[in-house]
Every structure is written in structure tokens, then in C-alpha cells.
Amino acid sequence: MNGHSWYAAGRESVLDAAALDGLVADVGVVEADRFAGCYLELLEQRVAHLHRAAVTADLDEVHEAALSLHVTSVMVGAEGMAGSVAALSEALAAGVLAEVGAALAEIEIIAAVTTGALVARRAVPAGAVA
């Protein structure tokens, strides 16, 4: 996947704690938690939308779905998801269709891992060390 995989060397977590802390600093604990909750509620639907668009080769729809998923993933600190979505977009843009199936499978796996990590992170009281 061109070295953009979420499991790249040196990556210890699928979540970027600094991004989560920055979101809390910007909007407060309650709103950050609400945003993370909405992200989790919509994640499966967004991944399915991206998958359908990629399978049907609707490039405009792929770009729209990927942009939405990428931006919200960055905001919530889901760097693994953001990287995997970027890798899919790059493969499609480059016309490397052989990588698209692998990228979609990776996105579905990282969605599950991200969900678990974000649920665990949200369970930690504000100010506590995760």
C-alpha cells in the first residue's frame, strides 16, 4: 500500500492522543465527547458508503466519501483510519486498481480497531492518563 498503511513501522496506536487532547482544548470535554460519539455512530455507515462508491468505480462519490471520512478521522485523532483512507484515494487516483480491494479490506479492519480504541479512550475520565 505504498507505505501508507496504518500498521506502518513505528506506529504504536491507531489513535493520536494529541489530536484528541487538542479537540478537547478547542471545544471542551462535553463537545469533544459528543463529536467522538457521532464519529463512532456514523463510522460503519461511512465505511460502507466508501466501499460501495469504490466498488462501483464512482470516483466522484469515492472522493466525497473519502474526504468526509478522512477529515472527521483526523479531527477525532483516528490517524490509522485517515491514513488508510488516504491510501485508497491515492490508489484510485493513480489507477492502481489492484490495490483498491486491499485498501478497502484494510479500511474495514481499521474501522473495527478504531472503534475499540476510541471507545476505550472515551471511557477514561477527563484528565486521567489513558
Side-chain angles (χ1 to χ4, degrees):
M1 303 279 313
N2 298 328
H4 299 289
S5 295
W6 64 273
Y7 51 83
R11 178 83 34 104
E12 293 180 14
S13 173
V14 296
L15 290 179
D16 176 7
L20 289 168
D21 293 342
L23 184 61
V24 168
D26 288 345
V27 300
V29 173
V30 172
E31 286 302 312
D33 188 61
R34 188 181 71 71
F35 183 82
C38 288
Y39 177 85
L40 287 171
E41 287 175 21
L42 295 172
L43 184 57
E44 186 177 333
Q45 180 181 356
R46 285 181 170 156
V47 168
H49 181 207
L50 181 62
H51 186 94
R52 280 190 308 276
V55 167
T56 61
D58 184 340
L59 296 182
D60 289 336
E61 199 65 26
V62 168
H63 292 298
E64 180 182 316
L67 180 61
S68 173
L69 185 53
H70 185 269
V71 168
T72 55
S73 294
V74 169
M75 289 175 67
V76 80
E79 65 180 16
M81 178 60 75
S84 293
V85 170
L88 171 67
S89 294
E90 290 171 12
L92 284 168
V96 185
L97 299 180
E99 290 187 12
V100 171
L104 288 170
E106 181 176 290
I107 287 168
E108 292 190 18
I109 292 167
I110 193 63
V113 174
T114 298
T115 297
L118 194 52
V119 165
R121 172 68 182 194
R122 287 179 71 208
V124 175
V129 177

